[in-house]
Amino acid sequence: MGKGRAPCCDKVGLNKGTWTPEEDLRLIAHIQRYGHANWRALPKKAGLLRCGKSCRLRWINYLRPDIKLGHFTEQEEEIIIKLHALLGNKWSKIASHLPGRTDNEIKNVWNTYLKKKLRSREQEEGEHKTTDKPNSSLNESYCNSDQLQLQNRENDKDPTSDTTEVQMERKDDKSELEVQPKSNSSALSRCSSSLSFATVENCRGEENGYEFFKIPEMTIEPEIWSMIEEDDHGESLAVEKNTTTNETRDWLESLEIELGLCDPQDENQETLVRDDTGLKEGNDLCIDDFQIEPASPLLLEYLYDVNIECSYVD
DNA sequence: AAGACCCGCAACCGCGGTTGT
DNA sequence: CACAACCGCGGTTGCGGGTCT
């Protein structure tokens, strides 16, 4: 690696802060046409006064077609909690198991909502548990991350008896993951992969005058392991492919609505893309994934108004 | 009604890893 | 091997809207 780093871009004269609809459309139009092989060069080619990183972030987190909008479902929250217990703050890894969700979104949800939710649950559970408390010094020596918080909640539970009620079912070889709640149990914090302190206590030992801890056997649901293992092989269970086309359409419709370019009530309006032939597999979209021609007269009008050029110079 | 405060979230920043020369 | 360029990730910031006083 070189010494020091050049700034990612020349920041003088670049826009910062919230993206405007015009900038969004410029970015979308450019990526539709040329893809995003080179983020650094993209803003210049697209006529955007933004740095490449900013464009990339905007596209990945908000503009790409397979983004899922709206609140997280209970099942999604459950998955986040479980995976966070296993992976820690590996937001992108966690996101790879939640189709349509971004690492940034998951990180925000965790920091603003799930963490508090778990904490309050922890308190609730603490009130109900007065016996069989583990050695507190052992607690501290065991783990010092957020994972400990989660594990603390698992005190005195038989990890096999009360597992999280999220069932992950692979519907085909590798492409689709269906998440189903097995029951309506309020199992938010019940990460079956965590360790009970009873388990830890049983791992204490002594050999040759040294006290040691055996690495305890963790009860981790096989589905979670397979998720992680597959992740290590560069595969994700959670890529929904068959639904991509409809999601793309929905996304474009919602984008037009959001930009005030179409009436949500008007079902007859065409959206930017009407390509039902299916998108290419994989997360990254490229130019071939899109039909270039915008179909909505209002969108065309808007593009014209904001002076987005139809020809680009490479 | 207005100011203070809180909170969620979009965006930025800086670092590490990877790739190219 | 050294260096530069770039991408992606995770931590952090700060704006804007909602709620409280």
Side-chain angles (χ1 to χ4, degrees):
Chain A
M1 223 187 286
K3 16 177 173 167
R5 289 181 65 79
C8 71
C9 52
D10 178 12
K11 288 176 178 143
V12 182
L14 293 185
N15 291 344
K16 287 179 75 172
T18 311
W19 280 64
T20 64
E22 177 188 345
E23 288 177 311
D24 282 346
L25 283 171
R26 276 185 183 273
L27 182 59
I28 292 164
H30 183 86
I31 291 176
Q32 280 181 12
R33 187 164 272 247
Y34 299 108
H36 50 70
N38 185 346
W39 285 113
R40 201 181 167 100
L42 187 147
K44 199 174 181 181
K45 288 181 184 174
L48 284 163
L49 291 171
R50 292 274 179 177
C51 87
K53 284 177 91 167
S54 181
C55 294
R56 179 186 155 270
L57 202 70
R58 184 66 184 167
W59 174 256
I60 287 176
N61 285 340
Y62 304 100
L63 298 178
R64 55 173 231 251
D66 51 341
I67 287 288
K68 192 191 279 183
L69 302 169
H71 294 296
F72 281 69
T73 64
E74 286 250 336
Q75 289 77 42
E76 286 175 317
E77 289 177 3
E78 194 92 42
I79 291 171
I80 293 169
I81 290 165
K82 286 171 75 103
L83 289 175
H84 187 270
L86 288 167
L87 303 169
N89 295 356
K90 301 290 176 192
W91 306 118
S92 60
K93 282 212 166 197
I94 295 171
S96 71
H97 297 293
L98 289 163
R101 301 298 189 182
T102 68
D103 53 352
N104 203 38
E105 200 178 9
I106 291 167
K107 182 170 58 181
N108 282 334
V109 161
W110 177 264
N111 286 330
T112 60
Y113 173 61
L114 288 179
K115 211 152 77 173
K116 290 174 194 166
K117 197 169 179 175
L118 283 172
R119 206 171 287 153
S120 64
R121 177 172 289 274
E122 183 181 22
Q123 280 171 358
E124 273 176 34
E125 288 184 359
E127 285 167 13
H128 291 106
K129 287 174 200 161
T130 53
T131 59
D132 298 335
K133 284 290 167 197
N135 180 329
S136 64
S137 64
L138 186 57
N139 284 3
E140 285 159 16
S141 70
Y142 193 70
C143 178
N144 61 0
S145 69
D146 278 351
Q147 295 170 33
L148 176 61
Q149 292 176 18
L150 194 62
Q151 286 158 6
N152 283 343
R153 279 182 290 281
E154 301 305 310
N155 290 357
D156 315 324
K157 276 192 188 140
D158 177 356
T160 59
S161 67
D162 192 9
T163 57
T164 304
E165 287 76 8
V166 171
Q167 184 180 33
M168 302 189 181
E169 195 174 295
R170 292 186 64 169
K171 298 190 83 175
D172 58 28
D173 284 346
K174 59 179 178 179
S175 63
E176 203 166 318
L177 173 70
E178 190 172 276
V179 180
Q180 300 176 322
K182 260 188 189 166
S183 74
N184 59 358
S185 163
S186 59
L188 248 187
S189 69
R190 295 180 187 170
C191 175
S192 62
S193 62
S194 59
L195 299 166
S196 74
F197 284 100
T199 311
V200 175
E201 275 296 339
N202 291 337
C203 297
R204 291 185 89 140
E206 202 175 316
E207 201 169 75
N208 301 329
Y210 293 97
E211 192 177 33
F212 68 91
F213 291 100
K214 286 182 281 188
I215 296 176
E217 201 170 311
M218 297 172 71
T219 312
I220 296 178
E221 289 165 19
E223 290 85 354
I224 296 294
W225 277 125
S226 66
M227 286 167 82
I228 293 166
E229 280 162 9
E230 295 216 11
D231 203 54
D232 289 343
H233 292 112
E235 292 179 7
S236 168
L237 295 175
V239 180
E240 290 180 17
K241 291 183 181 127
N242 296 337
T243 57
T244 309
T245 307
N246 286 338
E247 284 177 2
T248 302
R249 179 185 301 179
D250 292 344
W251 164 74
L252 284 159
E253 282 170 356
S254 65
L255 177 65
E256 288 186 20
I257 291 164
E258 207 169 297
L259 294 173
L261 301 176
C262 86
D263 181 355
Q265 307 299 323
D266 187 354
E267 292 174 1
N268 295 324
Q269 286 203 40
E270 292 292 311
T271 56
L272 181 64
V273 171
R274 285 285 192 233
D275 182 2
D276 286 344
T277 57
L279 294 167
K280 285 183 175 170
E281 294 187 358
N283 289 332
D284 280 353
L285 295 162
C286 67
I287 181 61
D288 294 338
D289 294 333
F290 294 87
Q291 213 174 343
I292 301 302
E293 192 178 354
S296 160
L298 279 168
L299 182 58
L300 278 172
E301 197 179 325
Y302 185 82
L303 289 168
Y304 180 78
D305 285 347
V306 300
N307 211 15
I308 289 183
E309 295 169 13
C310 291
S311 60
Y312 292 78
V313 180
D314 269 327

